[in-house]
Amino acid sequence: MKIVFQGWLSARLDLPNEVLGVEVPPETRTRVEEYTFVVEHLSDIVGKLVLDSATGFMPEWHRLAWILARDGWRVVATDIHPDVLTLHADPYITYIHADSRALPLPAGFADAATCTSTLEHLTVSDALAVVSEMMRCVRPGGTLVITADLAPWLPAFFGGETDQMPPPVNSLYPPVYAVVVET
């Protein structure tokens, strides 16, 4: 396991309120940067099956699965909230109502896994369980892309050091930390 990127995301005001043609409402502006970051870090992955763990359940906010499907990925999107099943229908997306701490999915089935703006809402033990499940579900040599608000502690989940640097002046609000890990 290797951390290939860690750091605060900067505001990218040059980006439109859409990612790959999928509108991201202005009131969820940090999602534009997060979703763009995810797409950019998955662009060179061999294979095209991704687990979107804790995808969310609000169609006006949670659009990463849809964006990844637009980018040619087959997506397995999971969430503990049953309304995950009501998100944007797409032949490339399979929505599963499941707890991301204990997924009913086979080990190593995905080429990559994502989790955006979720871990900061969990206890440390629950966040570790989600990350462990993501790592279990990704094939050896796969990639994890994780973002979380105010989370310079993310690298510690992968054997790295907690980032001591404050968010940059041009950071998002709330400041979003990201980590990309190769399994």
Side-chain angles (χ1 to χ4, degrees), residues 11-112:
R12 294 173 61 184
L13 300 178
D14 59 312
L15 296 173
N17 280 349
E18 66 175 47
V19 181
L20 297 178
V22 176
E23 182 184 354
V24 180
E27 62 271 16
T28 64
R29 179 62 204 186
T30 59
R31 302 278 177 174
V32 170
E33 282 86 355
E34 288 177 284
Y35 294 167
T36 299
F37 178 84
V38 169
V39 168
E40 289 171 352
H41 281 83
L42 293 181
S43 65
D44 294 332
I45 304 271
V46 175
K48 285 289 189 173
L49 178 59
V50 63
L51 164 66
D52 187 27
S53 186
T55 199
F57 57 91
M58 296 168 44
E60 66 277 9
W61 281 47
H62 303 122
R63 297 180 171 201
L64 182 58
W66 186 13
I67 291 165
L68 292 172
R70 280 259 176 114
D71 199 31
W73 286 86
R74 288 176 295 132
V75 182
V76 175
T78 68
D79 201 90
I80 197 166
H81 197 287
D83 282 356
V84 69
L85 302 174
T86 67
L87 292 179
H88 179 80
D90 188 288
Y92 289 96
I93 304 171
T94 301
Y95 293 105
I96 299 175
H97 173 223
D99 187 335
S100 292
R101 297 170 297 182
L103 294 169
L105 299 166
F109 85 94
D111 301 301

Side-chain angles (χ1 to χ4, degrees), residues 128-149:
L128 279 169
V130 170
V131 167
S132 292
E133 276 297 275
M134 291 172 66
M135 289 175 33
R136 182 186 69 78
C137 289
V138 172
R139 67 170 169 76
T143 300
L144 280 71
V145 182
I146 302 171
T147 66
D149 299 350

